[in-house]
Amino acid sequence: MGECEEDQELRERLKIGPQANVDYPINVLYCGNCKMPIEYCEFWPGYEKCKQWLEKFYPEEFSKLTLRENAAMEAERSAESSREKSESPDKKDKRRQRRGGKGQKKEDSFKEKRISVMIAPRSRRKVETVISGLEDFGIDLKVAVKVFGTKYACGSSITDENEISIQGNVKADVIEFIAHKWPELKDVIDDNGDYRNTFNI
Ligand SMILES: [Zn+2]
């Protein structure tokens, strides 16, 4: 039986050592804001700051990124317009209302927001737990920082708009703690993992 194309492709990917179609050495550009390879910045809660950093220090990369983002947006727009064409006018109206936000009820917008808790590298040895999204739920970050500071004797600080960092790995504990302290947030907290093990920094 002959090998199918998929198998060949998989074997190629699993091969150890240099690959034929890659230029070596591979230069990885690490973001000065989130410390991850720039390909991963978009998954970072403070993505806007990553972009600012990139624009300042690597304008060429930044313009490439902008081009890619615009292309993706354009693709989405055209997919959407072809979808709209095939829909009844009634449906269209409904969707526009949802998008526009003005016709939106408060409960709806509440549902879409989430709180993210994750472990992030702080330096080669240390990590921090990053919580973002609290402000969207009407929680004063200054109050939250005090609450976390009391609970965790180590440093807790506001590190970005809508973002708090606590020194050390307290992710599992803080998720429980937030749910206990603000019970209404129990179902909107996302455990967004641990970024230490994914990247060698
Ligand atoms: Zn970044």
Side-chain angles (χ1 to χ4, degrees), residues 31-38 40-42 44 46-47 50-51:
C31 172
N33 182 52
C34 69
K35 315 286 189 292
M36 293 190 286
I38 57 166
Y40 296 94
C41 285
E42 60 179 304
W44 186 254
Y47 182 38
C50 292
K51 284 206 277 193

Side-chain angles (χ1 to χ4, degrees), residues 7 28 58 89 119 154 187:
D7 284 343
V28 179
Y58 294 90
I119 302 296
C154 52
D187 298 324

